[in-house]
Amino acid sequence: MDPIIILQAGVASGTVLLFATLGEVLAERSGVLNLGVEGMMLIGAMTGFSVTIATGNPWLGVLAAMLAAGLVSQIHAFITITLQADQVVSGLALTFVGTGISLVLGEGLSKAGTVSLMPNFSIPLLSAIPILGPIFFTNQSVLVYIGYLMVPLAWYYINRTRPGLHLRAVGEYPSAADALGINVFRLRYAYVFVGGMLAGLGGATISLAVAPGWFSELTTGGQGWIAVGLVIFAQWDPIRAAVGSYAFGALRRLILDIQGPLVLFGFKNPFYYNSSLGFFLQMLPYAFTVIVLVIGSREAIRKRLGAPAALGNPYIRGERGK
């Protein structure tokens, strides 16, 4: 096992989680909890792969993936913002809807031939930096580099700009924001759409860059749920989201690599000879996600972590305390 290769692959696969997590951070910052990330990622992965097969242009595939997932996210926005239904129930339903649509429309795509993928390249000078260069700037997909740029931009947008101030106001005190003339309903629709587009970008990153192809629901493999857990782990902060995403990406790659060698640190590798231990290792990221979601569901802990005060609550104009 080469730690440089593990970390390099971890950054690539972590980019999938990064896009989905950033999208969920923006949606939740506006006060809308969207548990349908997994379904939207599947829509993005299927659409991106399908459009790339039809056009031969992976950039069109990525754009279509983002638009498709963004449009699907508006189902959740309409149900929770306009109809003021329970956000948890609607988000879970969106996961099933997205999964079903992608499986039906993606029927037969798994047998498709070779398609054009997003280009990989190295960054001159930066790739020569010892240790960090090979991990972050050598032979990575263009989508990975876009992910690097999005993290500081998202942080700056949320914390240092007027639209970011409006976003935080809508998620914290929607009635006060409404009194100041900020359109709470329109902003929430917009950020749910942006969150859906980023989830679709995460799905397209899988099918067009990290693990090219369409493998039905196994394409995302539950990464949408990990992204939802990472939002709580990151305390709704883009920089912490990046650290968590890359760490999870490296962990997922380590779990695969550790099962390969016959000998590990001079001893017989127990993960090679006992497949049950391998399944246990693969379960760990999802177990962590469940633990984080359970902890994050407690109101007192969520407030301590810095969750938006109005997260999960529909805004009703004129209602006291909202």
Side-chain angles (χ1 to χ4, degrees), residues 34 36 39-44 46-47 65-79 90 93-99 101-102 105 192-193 196-197:
N34 189 352
M40 294 187 295
M41 288 181 70
L42 279 170
I43 289 285
M46 181 277 298
T47 305
M66 295 176 70
L67 289 175
L71 290 174
V72 169
S73 74
Q74 294 306 282
I75 299 173
H76 179 68
F78 177 73
I79 292 173
S90 175
L94 187 67
T95 290
F96 297 128
V97 169
T99 302
I101 292 174
S102 62
L105 298 181
V192 171
F193 183 71
M197 291 182 71

Side-chain angles (χ1 to χ4, degrees), residues 108-122:
L109 286 180
S110 58
K111 299 175 183 175
T114 304
V115 299
S116 300
L117 302 177
M118 298 302 289
N120 282 27
F121 57 90
S122 302

Side-chain angles (χ1 to χ4, degrees), residues 10 32 150 173 175 205 210 218 240 268 290 306:
V32 180
M150 288 185 65
Y173 307 106
S175 57
T205 303
V210 175
L218 297 177
R240 290 195 182 102
K268 288 175 62 175
V290 171

Side-chain angles (χ1 to χ4, degrees), residues 15-71:
T15 300
V16 175
L17 293 170
L18 174 64
F19 288 139
T21 305
L22 286 180
E24 186 65 8
V25 165
L26 291 171
E28 293 194 13
R29 281 278 191 170
S30 74
V32 180
L33 174 67
N34 189 352
L35 297 181
V37 178
E38 179 77 6
M40 294 187 295
M41 288 181 70
L42 279 170
I43 289 285
M46 181 277 298
T47 305
F49 192 67
S50 178
V51 171
T52 302
I53 290 174
T55 64
N57 188 330
W59 288 102
L60 285 179
V62 169
L63 180 61
M66 295 176 70
L67 289 175
L71 290 174

Side-chain angles (χ1 to χ4, degrees), residues 242-265:
V243 173
S245 298
Y246 294 141
F248 257 81
L251 176 63
R252 285 166 57 86
R253 177 56 191 253
L254 175 64
I255 289 171
L256 293 176
D257 283 16
I258 205 172
Q259 300 173 63
L262 298 174
V263 179
L264 193 65
F265 304 120

